[in-house]
C-alpha cells in the first residue's frame, strides 16, 4: 500500500466536553462535528500530561513524562529519545510544522526536531511561509531580515521561558498585555490555517512524490480570550454588551498570574459565567476557521489515503475543584481530550470507541500508518508499535485493555511565582506534589505523591465530585497496584534513555504477556 499523507492537528487547551461531537447538547462546533462523523472518535481519550510541554513530548515520543523527562520549560528532550518527526523524515516523508504555541515553537527544547520546514506564529517575530505574490527581491529581503530578527529575539524569548525570575516578572498586570498580544503569545491561528491551506494547494499543484507529514498546533482556546464579537453572541449572548462582564474579562486577560492557580474562594458567579462563556466563544471561533482546512483536505487528490489526527494536548480548568488553568491537578477537565482519526481507506466512518486510551499512542499510530518500524535502536520494537497503534483498538485488539495513565508534574516556574505572591496556597493545595492517575474503563484513581487519594466512578460522577475511595478499598488497591507497575516501567525507560540504552519491552512483563496473547510476538 502507498504510504499515507499524515495531517496531525493539536487543538491546544481544548476540553473534550466543549465539542458537540462529545457533548451533543452543544452546537458550537458544526465543522469539527461533521468531520468527526466521518471518522473514528475516541470518547475517553486521556492526555498523559496536563500542560503543553510534557504533553507534546509524549505525543511526539510515545513515552509518558517520567520516561521522556521533558517536564519543565528549562529542559530539553534527550538526544537518544525517539522523535516521530525525525523518524518520518528519515523514512522519506516531507515534514512541515505550523505552530502557534511558543512553548513548542519558540523554546529550544527539542520538540522541533526533524522538521524540514517549521513555521512559528508565536513570539515577537513570527516565521510564516514566504508570500508567493511578493517579487523575488522582496521575498529574499524579508527572509533575511526575518531570520536576523528571530536570531536576536530567540535568546530573549528563551530566557523568559527558562528563568524563574523573568517568568515571574512576565506575570505582572502591567507586563502581561505586552507579551500576550504584541508578542503573539497565542500565535496567529487563523492566519496559520490560511497558510496551511495555501501550502496544501500549492503542493497539490506541484504533485510532489514524497509522502507528507504536516503538524499544526492551534492555540485559540488558551487565555487570553479575545474572540470576535459574533462568536460571543453565538456562545454566550447574555454577555454581549454587558460592561461588567467585559470588565471581568479584561482583568483576567491582563494578569497571567491568574491563569494557572488555586482558587481558595472559588470564582464569583459572574466570573464563572464570563470565563466559561468566552472559552466557548473561542471554541466556536476556532471551529469556524477550521472549516477552510477541512475543505482543503477534502479536495486533495490523495484525500482517501490521508490519515488526519485531531487531538487535544490537554484541557483547561475553568474554576472546577477550586483550580483554574492546567498546572496542578489530574481531573478530567484537564485530562479528557478530543481524539479523532480520519483515514477513509483504512478506518470506518462514524465509529465511536468507548474504552479509555492514552493519546501518547498517537506516536505508535503514526509510525504504524507510515508502513514500517523505524530502523533505529532508539525507537520501540516493531511489535510494540503495531500493538499500541490506535488502529488496533478500532479493530478490537486493545493491548492496554481500556487503561490509560497520566502524570501531573507541576510547572515549577509557576510554583516559584506563587511562592513570591501567595506562598500559603502552595502547601494548602499541594502545588509542588506529583499527581498520577489511571483510568480503567469507568473508574479513575488519583495518587498524590504515590499515595492513593481519590477514586471516581466516571459514569455515575463525570464531574468527579464524590470520591468513593473509602467505599471501594479492593478496587483502590488493584488500581493503585496498576499505577505502581506503570511507574516502575516508565522509570526503567527513563533510566535506559539517560544511559543511552535502547528501549526494550522486556521491562514490562505484563505488556509482553498481552502481546503474546494477541499474537504480536511468539
Amino acid at each position: 500500500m502507498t504510504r499515507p499523507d499524515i495531517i496531525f492537528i493539536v487543538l491546544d487547551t481544548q476540553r473534550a466536553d466543549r465539542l458537540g461531537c462529545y457533548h451533543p447538547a452543544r452546537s458550537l462546533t458544526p465543522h469539527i462535528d461533521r468531520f468527526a462523523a466521518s471518522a473514528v472518535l475516541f470518547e475517553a481519550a486521556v492526555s498523559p500530561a496536563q500542560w503543553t510541554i510534557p504533553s507534546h513530548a509524549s505525543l511526539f515520543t510515545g513515552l509518558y513524562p517520567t520516561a521522556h523527562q521533558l517536564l519543565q520549560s528549562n529542559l530539553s528532550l534527550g538526544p537518544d529519545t525517539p522523535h516521530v518527526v525525525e523518524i518520518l523524515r528519515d523514512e522519506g516523508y516531507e515534514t512541515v510544522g505550523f505552530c502557534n504555541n511558543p512553548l513548542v515553537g519558540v523554546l529550544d527544547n527539542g520538540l522541533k526536531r526533524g522538521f524540514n520546514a517549521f513555521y512559528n506564529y508565536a513570539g515577537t517575530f513570527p516565521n510564516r511561509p514566504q508570500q508567493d505574490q511578493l517579487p523575488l527581491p522582496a521575498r529574499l529581503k524579508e527572509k533575511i531580515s526575518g531570520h536576523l530578527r528571530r536570531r536576536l529575539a530567540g535568546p530573549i524569548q528563551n530566557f523568559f521561558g527558562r528563568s524563574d525570575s523573568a517568568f515571574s516578572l512576565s506575570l505582572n498586570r502591567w507586563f502581561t498585555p505586552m507579551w500576550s498580544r504584541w508578542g503573539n503569545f497565542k500565535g496567529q491561528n487563523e492566519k496559520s490555517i490560511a497558510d496551511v491551506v495555501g501550502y496544501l494547494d500549492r503542493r497539490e499543484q506541484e504533485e510532489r512524490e514524497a509522502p507528507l507529514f504536516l503538524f499544526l498546533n492551534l492555540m485559540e482556546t488558551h487565555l487570553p480570550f479575545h474572540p470576535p464579537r459574533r462568536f460571543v453572541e453565538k456562545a454566550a449572548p447574555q454577555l454581549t454588551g454587558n460592561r461588567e462582564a467585559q470588565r471581568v474579562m479584561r482583568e483576567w486577560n491582563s494578569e497571567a498570574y491568574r491563569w494557572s492557580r488555586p482558587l481558595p474562594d472559588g470564582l464569583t458567579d459572574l466570573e464563572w459565567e464570563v470565563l466559561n462563556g468566552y472559552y466557548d466563544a473561542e471554541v466556536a471561533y476556532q471551529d469556524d476557521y477550521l472549516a477552510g482546512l477541512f475543505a482543503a483536505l477534502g479536495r486533495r487528490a490523495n484525500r482517501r489515503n490521508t490519515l488526519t489526527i485531531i487531538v487535544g494536548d490537554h484541557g483547561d480548568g475553568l474554576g472546577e475543584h477550586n483550580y483554574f488553568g492546567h498546572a496542578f491537578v489530574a481531573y478530567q477537565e484537564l485530562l479528557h481530550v478530543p481524539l479523532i482519526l480520519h483515514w477513509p481507506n483504512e478506518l470506518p466512518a462514524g465509529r465511536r470507541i468507548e474504552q479509555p486510551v492514552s493519546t501518547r499512542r498517537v506516536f505508535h499510530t503514526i509510525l504504524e500508518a507510515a508502513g514500517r518500524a523505524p530502523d533505529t535502536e532508539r525507537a520501540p520494537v516493531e511489535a510494540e508499535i503495531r500493538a499500541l497503534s490506535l488502529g488496533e483498538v478500532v479493530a478490537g485488539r486493545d493491548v492496554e485493555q481500556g487503561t490509560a495513565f497520566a502524570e501531573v508534574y507541576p510547572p515549577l516556574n509557576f510554583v516559584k511565582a506563587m511562592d513570591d505572591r501567595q506562598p500559603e496556597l502552595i502547601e494548602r493545595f499541594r502545588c509542588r506534589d506529583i499527581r498520577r492517575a489511571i483510568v480503567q474503563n469507568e473508574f479513575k484513581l488519583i495518587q498524590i505523591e504515590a499515595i492513593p487519594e481519590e477514586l471516581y466512578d466516571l459514569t455515575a460522577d463525570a464531574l468527579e465530585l464524590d470520591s468513593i475511595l473509602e467505599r471501594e478499598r479492593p478496587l483502590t488497591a488493584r488500581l493503585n497496584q496498576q499505577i505502581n507497575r506503570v511507574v516502575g516501567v516508565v522509570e526503567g525507560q527513563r533510566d535506559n534513555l539517560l544511559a543511552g540504552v535502547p528501549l526494550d519491552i522486556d521491562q514490562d512483563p505484563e505488556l509482553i504477556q498481552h502481546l503474546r496473547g494477541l499474537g504480536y510476538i511468539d
Side-chain angles (χ1 to χ4, degrees):
M1 182 187 73
T2 304
R3 291 183 296 173
D5 291 334
I6 300 170
I7 311 295
F8 180 28
I9 303 169
V10 175
L11 304 181
D12 210 293
T13 323
Q14 177 64 67
R15 295 168 56 134
D17 65 356
R18 300 307 174 97
L19 301 180
C21 50
Y22 283 87
H23 197 299
R26 294 183 173 273
S27 57
L28 298 175
T29 55
H31 303 105
I32 293 176
D33 299 345
R34 191 175 303 115
F35 187 80
S38 65
V40 176
L41 181 145
F42 293 82
E43 295 182 348
V46 175
S47 172
Q50 89 293 1
W51 69 290
T52 295
I53 289 177
S55 175
H56 272 77
S58 290
L59 291 169
F60 283 141
T61 69
L63 300 170
Y64 284 114
T66 289
H68 64 61
Q69 282 291 290
L70 187 50
L71 306 174
Q72 304 296 333
S73 59
N74 63 347
L75 300 177
S76 297
L77 200 63
D80 290 326
T81 305
H83 192 300
V84 69
V85 185
E86 285 184 313
I87 294 168
L88 291 176
R89 180 200 60 195
D90 294 345
E91 290 292 321
Y93 270 78
E94 177 185 343
T95 57
V96 59
F98 297 78
C99 183
N100 288 280
N101 191 319
L103 299 183
V104 179
V106 173
L107 293 187
D108 186 15
N109 54 19
L111 291 177
K112 299 188 291 291
R113 285 179 3 201
F115 284 99
N116 299 130
F118 192 92
Y119 302 108
N120 171 50
Y121 293 78
T124 309
F125 299 110
N127 170 31
R128 295 180 62 190
Q130 294 295 308
Q131 301 300 305
D132 289 343
Q133 64 268 27
L134 292 176
L136 179 59
R139 291 205 305 270
L140 290 174
K141 180 180 178 181
E142 175 61 26
K143 184 174 183 179
I144 294 170
S145 63
H147 177 72
L148 291 175
R149 290 195 303 267
R150 286 186 292 275
R151 285 287 299 271
L152 291 172
I156 298 172
Q157 293 172 146
N158 272 276
F159 172 71
F160 275 91
R162 294 174 178 269
S163 165
D164 288 344
S165 58
F167 177 81
S168 183
L169 175 67
S170 74
L171 302 181
N172 288 329
R173 176 183 295 273
W174 62 271
F175 202 6
T176 297
M178 294 172 60
W179 57 260
S180 64
R181 181 165 284 228
W182 301 336
N184 293 300
F185 171 67
K186 289 177 61 168
Q188 301 172 330
N189 296 277
E190 192 168 7
K191 288 182 179 178
S192 72
I193 290 290
D195 287 348
V196 169
V197 170
Y199 173 86
L200 291 173
D201 287 345
R202 287 192 300 274
R203 195 176 190 275
E204 195 78 358
Q205 294 169 3
E206 295 167 4
E207 298 181 351
R208 300 182 199 175
E209 293 184 1
L212 170 67
F213 173 82
L214 187 149
F215 165 69
L216 169 66
N217 170 288
L218 294 175
M219 188 77 163
E220 196 64 63
T221 59
H222 197 292
L223 272 164
F225 296 152
H226 295 289
R229 179 186 175 95
R230 64 189 177 98
F231 295 102
V232 180
E233 293 173 347
K234 179 178 182 179
Q238 76 279 9
L239 301 178
T240 306
N242 184 327
R243 292 186 178 181
E244 188 63 14
Q246 293 168 3
R247 179 193 63 78
V248 168
M249 196 67 259
R250 282 196 304 271
E251 288 182 353
W252 277 83
N253 282 343
S254 65
E255 188 177 3
Y257 176 66
R258 292 177 173 224
W259 298 356
S260 289
R261 67 181 178 99
L263 300 167
D265 301 317
L267 297 173
T268 67
D269 290 344
L270 180 59
E271 285 178 316
W272 179 276
E273 185 177 16
V274 169
L275 291 165
N276 279 270
Y278 271 78
Y279 179 90
D280 286 347
E282 294 281 26
V283 171
Y285 176 34
Q286 176 180 256
D287 180 78
D288 185 74
Y289 56 68
L290 273 169
L293 176 57
F294 294 145
L297 293 174
R299 61 177 174 259
R300 299 176 71 239
N302 199 36
R303 60 188 177 275
R304 293 198 58 80
N305 195 31
T306 296
L307 169 61
T308 302
I309 301 172
I310 299 177
V311 65
D313 64 335
H314 55 77
D316 208 19
L318 296 170
E320 300 92 343
H321 299 100
N322 283 84
Y323 288 88
F324 198 89
H326 42 269
F328 302 115
V329 295
Y331 296 116
Q332 290 295 86
E333 57 263 24
L334 271 62
L335 299 183
H336 181 209
V337 293
L339 176 59
I340 300 165
L341 304 186
H342 181 270
W343 189 4
N345 276 359
E346 297 293 326
L347 295 176
R351 180 79 178 276
R352 299 178 73 95
I353 304 295
E354 294 182 358
Q355 67 256 44
V357 296
S358 170
T359 60
R360 93 193 193 287
R361 296 172 68 172
V362 164
F363 168 89
H364 308 85
T365 306
I366 290 172
L367 291 184
E368 173 68 6
R372 54 168 290 189
D375 185 17
T376 170
E377 289 185 346
R378 293 180 299 169
V381 297
E382 182 177 1
E384 183 179 350
I385 290 171
R386 186 157 51 94
L388 287 173
S389 168
L390 292 168
E392 293 296 282
V393 181
V394 177
R397 300 184 294 270
D398 183 7
V399 72
E400 293 194 326
Q401 299 183 320
T403 301
F405 175 71
E407 299 186 295
V408 173
Y409 282 88
L412 296 181
N413 52 5
F414 200 88
V415 175
K416 176 62 169 62
M418 191 182 303
D419 200 27
D420 294 338
R421 292 167 170 80
Q422 294 176 292
E424 72 280 2
L425 296 183
I426 295 176
E427 295 304 319
R428 176 179 170 184
F429 287 90
R430 306 180 71 173
C431 295
R432 286 193 177 93
D433 291 353
I434 297 170
R435 291 164 166 82
R436 291 186 169 93
I438 193 166
V439 180
Q440 190 169 81
N441 299 317
E442 71 270 31
F443 293 105
K444 177 179 178 182
L445 178 69
I446 299 174
Q447 278 188 354
I448 305 180
E449 291 296 330
I451 304 299
E453 295 279 351
E454 300 169 78
L455 176 68
Y456 296 103
D457 180 341
L458 296 177
T459 301
D461 181 22
L463 299 180
E464 296 166 288
L465 300 176
D466 179 24
S467 174
I468 58 174
L469 186 141
E470 295 297 332
R471 304 197 297 272
E472 296 285 351
R473 281 294 175 181
L475 176 59
T476 297
R478 180 175 63 78
L479 292 177
N480 194 55
Q481 186 178 31
Q482 283 280 83
I483 292 181
N484 293 337
R485 182 192 67 80
V486 177
V487 170
V489 171
V490 297
E491 287 178 344
Q493 291 174 329
R494 172 201 63 198
D495 295 344
N496 283 354
L497 285 168
L498 291 174
V501 177
L503 295 170
D504 190 346
I505 62 171
D506 288 343
Q507 297 169 25
D508 191 348
E510 186 170 313
L511 177 60
I512 291 175
Q513 181 180 352
H514 291 162
L515 290 172
R516 284 202 179 101
L518 293 171
Y520 294 107
I521 59 176
D522 296 328

